[in-house]
Amino acid sequence: MDEQNSLTVEKANAERKNAVAPPAHKAVKKKSTIVKLVLIGIAMVIGMILAFVPMRFGLTLYNPFLSKESISLGLDLQGGVYAVYQATNTDTSNFDAKMEGTRSSLESLLATKGYTEATIVREGTDRIRVEVPDVDDPSGILQVIGEPTTVRFVLDSTNETIITGDNIVNADSGYDENSGYVVSLEFDSEGRRKFAEVTANNQGSTISIYLGDSTTPIQTANINETIPNGRAMISGNFTAQSAQELAGQIMSGTFDVALELKESQTISPTLGENAMKYGLIAGIVGFVLVIAFLCVIYRMMGVAASFALVIYVIIYLFFLAVLPWVQLTLPGIAGILLSIGMAVDANVIIFERIKDEYRGGKSIMAAYHAGFKKALFAILDSNVTTVIACVLLMLLGTGSIYGFALTLLVGVIISLFTALLVSRAILKYFINLNSYNAKLYHLKRGKQFEGLEADATDANVMADMEREKQEKEDKQQEKERAKKERRSQKNRGGETA
């Protein structure tokens, strides 16, 4: 065994002596490497300013990525109200499609009332959950939504139902100069035909509006003229609030499925403020501990990973701010904190592989290249499983589960980018500056290779890299020549024909 180790060391030393190129650390253009590191540092500083520092440009206030104005907050962080509705009759044809249509109608109703950040999702097969964050009057939102049911327009003189919720496209409140606050109605093609016929033949009569099986109308209106265009206006002694309530009640009857309110609750924004505060504290503490661990265990490799982790956080906050479907919730914060810990997993796998390669006799530069190359598939495998789990949770889960899965998925994808590209580039620049001091990277030789210098085979590594580059160029040129030859033969064949 000792003879074999001795021969291995002598062979490695012989290769180093016979290398035609000088050690790589003497050939590297250190000035360009320093310039690249400085540019990365400047980009990091700019990114941190954009992510954390509010600024004012003239009359315009810039909100950083990490702010309530940039990141959409969920109900549990911003306060608001939630309600759960259940279908009263599931024994109907195309029930699933009708439930989805009802969910879409609820979403449109709230959007027209200004609640664009409301979340409407299905729970199970027969329930719909409505969450409306950051409302001034949480109890008032339930009046806007109402209790979804059916709506009927009945001609009082004949007690005939002329219009139902199926014929109503939209109902909204507004203001008319002559009539004050009004409720505007829009019908579909069938409703337009029916309403035009009824208003033409029954001027002076009244139409009453009923919800569900109630015998008490929510509104009675006089027919003053023929309305042929499918657009009607209900006027009276309305206030802005009463007009909005009536429009909401009418729209609640346009749903494909009658719903019953099962649960509702308001949530104080105080909970969200505390959650955000403690979440930020936990994130900062975890971030500092992770960086300290990396720098102590892996030294300069850990420093490179720490820089990449800072860039990771900046990019992460940017995507949280710009992606429209990301709404930060308490489970979402948990996903962020988990993804910060997972962000260093790839770096740990790579660094341990580099240590193994260096221990086995490779130089720092050779171990760096081999470590990243051999760790690639292990990193992809470990992260792909997480991505698959997140996608399944997003497809099958709702509410808080969806928020957790989405933030974790975004974090995992960004961590792959920073580990495989950013961390690799920064570590390469560090090695370009110093590829001969193993202690700087906390690397140790195995017993059989203790006599090898840290950059013993760097010249061969550089030669191999140049050879691989030349081989790729030769293959590309060969493909171009073959392509030109095929084109030339095709042209000659066409001319002969």
Side-chain angles (χ1 to χ4, degrees), residues 73-86:
L73 300 180
L75 182 68
D76 47 5
L77 297 181
Q78 207 167 357
V81 64
Y82 81 87
V84 178
Y85 294 93
Q86 184 173 21

Side-chain angles (χ1 to χ4, degrees), residues 78-388:
Q78 207 167 357
V81 64
Y82 81 87
V84 178
Y85 294 93
Q86 184 173 21
T88 58
N89 182 19
T90 60
D91 187 17
T92 179
S93 60
N94 299 324
F95 176 73
D96 188 71
K98 290 181 178 179
M99 280 293 291
E100 183 58 32
T102 302
R103 187 207 63 80
S104 179
S105 298
L106 268 171
E107 191 172 53
S108 300
L109 170 62
L110 289 171
T112 58
K113 304 305 178 184
Y115 301 102
T116 56
E117 295 184 358
T119 302
I120 300 93
V121 295
R122 291 180 60 181
E123 288 189 346
T125 58
D126 62 345
R127 289 195 173 199
I128 295 178
R129 182 184 181 91
V130 181
E131 296 182 353
V132 187
D134 194 28
V135 294
D136 297 330
D137 182 13
S139 61
I141 190 63
L142 295 178
Q143 298 177 2
V144 174
I145 299 175
E147 188 165 324
T149 181
T150 57
V151 65
R152 296 174 290 123
F153 284 63
V154 177
L155 182 62
D156 291 331
S157 60
T158 62
N159 202 29
E160 176 190 0
T161 299
I162 57 174
I163 295 292
T164 66
D166 295 336
N167 304 125
I168 299 174
V169 176
N170 189 34
D172 199 5
S173 60
Y175 186 81
D176 182 77
E177 292 182 358
N178 298 321
S179 305
Y181 290 100
V182 297
V183 175
S184 300
L185 302 175
E186 181 181 354
F187 305 110
D188 62 8
S189 57
E190 182 182 358
R192 180 172 64 249
R193 179 184 59 80
K194 290 180 179 180
F195 206 71
E197 181 180 344
V198 169
T199 55
N201 299 327
N202 295 275
Q203 292 188 20
S205 299
T206 58
I207 293 177
S208 296
I209 305 173
Y210 296 88
L211 291 181
D213 298 328
S214 174
T215 57
T216 303
I218 60 172
Q219 184 68 32
T220 299
N222 294 320
I223 302 176
N224 297 323
E225 58 183 347
T226 302
I227 303 176
N229 60 0
R231 294 179 180 273
M233 185 173 66
I234 303 174
S235 60
N237 297 320
F238 289 119
T239 63
Q241 182 177 356
S242 62
Q244 186 179 31
E245 287 179 2
L246 177 59
Q249 287 177 313
I250 295 174
M251 282 300 294
S252 71
T254 64
F255 304 138
D256 296 329
V257 177
L259 301 176
E260 179 184 5
L261 180 63
K262 302 297 291 185
E263 179 185 356
S264 66
Q265 184 176 342
T266 58
I267 297 179
S268 170
T270 304
L271 171 64
E273 292 174 359
N274 293 335
M276 284 291 289
K277 180 175 69 175
Y278 293 126
L280 284 174
I281 293 174
I284 293 172
V285 172
F287 186 79
V288 171
L289 291 177
V290 167
I291 287 180
F293 169 81
L294 289 171
C295 293
V296 170
I297 301 300
Y298 299 105
R299 298 187 185 175
M300 288 305 293
M301 290 193 295
V303 173
S306 299
F307 286 160
L309 191 59
V310 173
I311 295 174
Y312 162 83
V313 170
I314 294 172
I315 297 175
Y316 199 174
L317 292 175
F318 170 76
F319 277 100
L320 289 178
V322 301
L323 291 179
W325 56 84
V326 173
Q327 191 175 56
L328 195 58
T329 60
L330 284 175
I333 291 179
I336 292 175
L337 298 180
L338 178 60
S339 64
I340 290 176
M342 294 181 64
V344 299
D345 285 354
N347 289 290
V348 170
I349 294 173
I350 293 168
F351 296 161
E352 288 298 325
R353 190 67 191 184
I354 290 174
K355 291 170 72 174
D356 290 340
E357 295 294 328
Y358 183 82
R359 191 181 299 114
K362 286 186 171 65
S363 69
I364 294 178
M365 181 176 289
Y368 157 79
H369 286 288
F372 272 94
K373 184 176 181 180
K374 294 181 179 181
L376 175 62
F377 290 104
I379 293 170
L380 291 178
D381 289 344
S382 63
N383 284 274
V384 163
T385 54
T386 305
V387 169
I388 292 174

